[in-house]
């Protein structure tokens, strides 16, 4: 079920988005009680990215209302995606599109935490990495390529040799001292990552440049986003990694203990 501007949408409404692939979004996991971890951060992302992509203001109160409508009749955990795009956008004149609309879509959510993930490193840098935009061709092409090679997802490495992020997730590392290390690189400022850093519960966090060789020597590696929470990586390329580490368990417990916010 998808709505545009709070009303059922047609296939024609989707054509501009499909043909230009120009817009931005956020995805939020909705728990069974209807609450959303990091809801305020998701709204702040939409407002910030709307200004960057469209040069326009976004009414976060209206977004919340449309999300409430989109969730009517839903039961159990789900993931709601809010996509911001202008149905008038044209490939030749994107600057003329300055009235972004709110598209809300809902899908089921998987159990937490998901099975450990095997990742393969690939050279790739997302366009405008600080924005959660709909330009996913490069990321999905990389994901498909590594899956055909027998891995679960791609781990991006920039031209400077530094690890940045995963296909649609942030990556974190646990060093031999039990400290969580986030990569110092152009990455999406993920909501789950921000929540884990804020609710440390005694776990130390720091940021540092990480190469693939350094990543392979870490005590543990994990992926984070709103859909998966904290997901262990069991391999990077040919290096097997431990999917069980005390800090991993603490991070999972911390994430699940963070109270959700209501719409």
């Amino acid at each position: 079920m998808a709505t545009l501007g709070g009303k059922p949408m047609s296939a024609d409404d989707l054509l501009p988005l499909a043909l230009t692939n120009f817009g931005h979004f956020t995805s939020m996991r909705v728990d069974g009680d209807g609450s959303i971890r990091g809801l305020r951060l998701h709204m702040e992302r939409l407002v910030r990215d709307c200004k960057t992509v469209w040069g326009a203001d976004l009414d976060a109160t209206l977004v919340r209302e449309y999300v409430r409508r989109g969730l009517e009749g839903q039961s159990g955990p789900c993931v709601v995606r809010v996509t911001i795009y202008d149905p008038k956008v044209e490939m030749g004149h994107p600057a003329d599109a300055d009235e972004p609309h709110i598209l809300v879509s809902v899908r089921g959510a998987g159990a937490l935490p998901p099975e450990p993930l095997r990742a393969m490193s690939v050279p790739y840098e997302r366009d405008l990495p600080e924005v959660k935009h709909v330009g996913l061709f490069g990321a999905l092409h990389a994901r498909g390529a590594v899956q055909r090679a027998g891995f679960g997802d791609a781990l991006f490495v920039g031209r400077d040799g530094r690890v940045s992020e995963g296909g649609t997730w942030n990556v974190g590392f646990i060093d031999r001292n039990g400290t969580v290390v986030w990569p110092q690189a152009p990455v999406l400022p993920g909501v789950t990552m921000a929540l884990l850093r804020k609710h440390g519960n005694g776990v130390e966090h720091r940021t540092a440049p990480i190469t693939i060789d350094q990543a392979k020597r870490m005590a543990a590696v994990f992926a984070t986003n709103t859909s998966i929470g904290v997901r262990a990586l069991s391999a990077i390329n040919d290096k097997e990694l431990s999917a069980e580490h005390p800090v991993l368990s603490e991070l999972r417990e911390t994430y699940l203990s963070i109270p959700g916010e209501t719409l």
Side-chain angles (χ1 to χ4, degrees):
M1 177 64 178
T3 60
L4 182 64
K7 301 176 182 178
M9 67 185 308
S10 68
D12 287 344
D13 292 327
L14 277 176
L15 275 178
L17 181 62
L19 295 177
T20 64
N21 203 31
F22 192 64
H24 64 96
F25 72 101
T26 198
S27 293
M28 303 175 284
R29 183 183 177 97
V30 185
D31 287 331
D33 62 358
S35 66
I36 299 171
R37 292 182 189 84
L39 176 62
R40 178 181 59 81
L41 296 178
H42 284 287
M43 294 299 108
E44 290 176 356
R45 165 189 283 165
L46 289 173
V47 171
R48 180 180 64 246
D49 289 355
C50 190
K51 181 65 74 172
T52 299
V53 175
W54 302 104
D57 294 323
L58 182 68
D59 186 344
T61 300
L62 192 59
V63 173
R64 288 173 178 249
E65 172 60 26
Y66 290 164
V67 171
R68 275 193 293 267
R69 295 185 198 178
L71 291 172
E72 288 178 359
Q74 294 289 329
S75 60
C78 62
V79 175
V80 59
R81 169 169 162 161
V82 180
T83 305
I84 309 299
Y85 80 104
D86 190 335
K88 301 193 308 294
V89 67
E90 294 181 0
M91 194 170 294
H93 302 279
D96 293 344
D98 57 2
E99 296 182 11
H101 288 45
I102 302 165
L103 165 63
V104 175
S105 54
V106 182
R107 60 179 171 84
L112 292 179
E115 291 295 315
L117 178 68
R118 298 178 61 84
M120 178 178 173
S121 63
V122 298
Y124 183 68
E125 298 174 8
R126 290 193 309 112
D127 294 331
L128 207 63
E130 66 272 20
V131 171
K132 193 174 180 68
H133 55 74
V134 301
L136 296 175
F137 176 85
L140 295 184
H141 180 267
R143 175 175 285 170
V146 304
Q147 287 178 347
R148 287 188 288 273
F151 290 84
D153 209 343
L155 180 63
F156 300 152
V157 180
R159 283 167 287 185
D160 57 4
R162 296 181 181 181
V163 174
S164 57
E165 55 192 352
T168 49
W169 37 271
N170 289 111
V171 64
F173 305 92
I174 300 171
D175 67 16
R176 298 297 172 180
N177 297 319
T179 299
V180 174
V181 185
W182 300 97
Q184 183 178 315
V187 300
L188 179 75
V191 169
T192 303
M193 177 175 66
L195 290 174
L196 290 173
R197 298 192 73 158
K198 179 181 179 181
H199 302 270
N201 285 357
V203 175
E204 183 181 350
H205 294 250
R206 65 184 176 91
T207 303
I210 302 292
T211 66
I212 282 295
D213 286 341
Q214 290 172 319
K216 291 179 177 180
R217 295 197 295 270
M218 291 291 179
V221 186
F222 60 95
T224 67
N225 71 22
T226 190
S227 300
I228 62 177
V230 177
R231 183 179 189 180
L233 266 63
S234 58
I236 296 177
N237 298 342
D238 59 352
K239 173 64 174 178
E240 300 293 326
L241 301 167
S242 172
E244 298 296 332
H245 188 281
V247 176
L248 272 177
S249 298
E250 289 184 48
L251 291 172
R252 292 192 190 104
E253 292 172 6
T254 294
Y255 181 67
L256 292 175
S257 70
I258 296 171
E261 303 167 54
T262 58
L263 289 162

